[in-house]
Amino acid sequence: DAGVTQSPTHLIKTRGQQVTLRCSPKSGHDTVSWYQQALGQGPQFIFQYYEEEERQRGNFPDRFSGHQFPNYSSELNVNALLLGDSALYLCASSLANPVDTIYFGEGSWLTVV
Amino acid sequence: GQSLEQPSEVTAVEGAIVQINCTYQTSGFYGLSWYQQHDGGAPTFLSYNALDGLEETGRFSSFLSRSDSYGYLLLQELQMKDSASYFCAVPGGATNKLIFGTGTLLAVQP
């Protein structure tokens, strides 16, 4: 049973470019959340997708957008990259029930130069 | 707003016991979770306290006092592999969106 898988694991982009990160949730999970984790800090909630719709959003600008597909996989898109977007981007999957355990992927390391 | 405070670093020796504290301020409370993260990899769920008291899972225990807005993670019989960052987290409302604490870097020395 595969856990949460993310791709790519590492990537380098230039300021102003756009990036797409991908996530496949744990088998049986229908809810996907994305987090940004800067070096030395805790993960910060970006948004959550359920039934192909954005259900909740954290305090991130509109440059951050996402999508969930019918198979529950998800993408995170970031436009007009800034140096400050350099971080580890974590995908988390769960069931919609708030008391269920949340599982994280290994993350995608994004470096903006 | 919502915030969770933890000590930034803790150092202990193999075989010892260490306690990592977490104080929180939240609007509404739905329980306190603890996560372990090695070298920026995937945060791994350790424990969850919805009610006051101690929850024990092997070498790890977690405690919650809702009246004090305080919890801690207790790690016993420390091993080198326990060197990692530990985060407390609370659900941000009645959903499974998580708000994480500042994180505690635990260094276990021989």
Side-chain angles (χ1 to χ4, degrees):
Chain A
D1 178 24
V4 181
T5 57
Q6 292 187 242
S7 64
T9 54
H10 294 82
L11 69 166
I12 300 173
K13 290 287 189 177
T14 304
R15 273 182 302 176
Q17 285 188 315
Q18 177 264 347
V19 68
T20 297
L21 308 178
R22 296 176 177 83
C23 171
S24 292
K26 182 177 170 60
S27 177
H29 284 182
D30 57 10
T31 302
V32 173
S33 301
W34 287 91
Y35 291 79
Q36 180 195 66
Q37 186 176 21
L39 207 59
Q41 297 183 22
Q44 300 290 315
F45 176 79
I46 303 174
F47 42 54
Q48 182 180 91
Y49 278 84
Y50 172 68
E51 292 188 340
E52 302 180 52
E53 295 203 354
E54 183 181 292
R55 185 162 76 161
Q56 262 196 303
R57 189 177 183 91
N59 191 23
F60 279 80
D62 292 344
R63 298 187 297 109
F64 290 77
S65 63
H67 187 77
Q68 185 178 36
F69 299 94
N71 67 353
Y72 307 119
S73 67
S74 176
E75 287 182 350
L76 164 65
N77 299 289
V78 187
N79 294 321
L81 284 167
L82 304 173
L83 295 179
D85 296 331
S86 296
L88 175 67
Y89 288 85
L90 294 162
C91 173
S93 81
S94 64
L95 294 172
N97 187 327
V99 301
D100 282 317
T101 300
I102 296 168
Y103 294 85
F104 284 85
E106 294 286 337
S108 295
W109 282 100
L110 170 65
T111 301
V112 182
V113 296
Chain B
Q2 295 168 300
S3 66
L4 298 91
E5 294 292 327
Q6 304 176 232
S8 58
E9 293 183 26
V10 173
T11 301
V13 297
E14 268 188 302
I17 299 173
V18 72
Q19 178 174 313
I20 299 174
N21 299 321
C22 173
T23 56
Y24 59 85
Q25 283 187 309
T26 61
S27 51
F29 182 74
Y30 302 91
L32 184 71
S33 298
W34 287 92
Y35 284 79
Q36 178 192 62
Q37 186 179 35
H38 283 99
D39 290 334
T44 304
F45 172 81
L46 292 176
S47 69
Y48 171 73
N49 293 69
L51 302 174
D52 290 354
L54 192 67
E55 294 281 343
E56 297 181 68
T57 309
R59 295 187 297 114
F60 294 179
S61 303
S62 58
F63 172 82
L64 176 66
S65 169
R66 288 174 295 172
S67 60
D68 296 321
S69 297
Y70 164 77
Y72 66 72
L73 179 70
L74 192 72
L75 297 85
Q76 303 181 71
E77 300 173 20
L78 281 174
Q79 303 175 9
M80 296 297 290
K81 67 178 182 180
D82 297 329
S83 293
S85 292
Y86 292 83
F87 294 92
C88 56
V90 294
T95 69
N96 49 20
K97 153 193 170 182
L98 285 174
I99 299 171
F100 284 84
T102 51
T104 300
L105 181 62
L106 171 64
V108 180
Q109 297 177 341

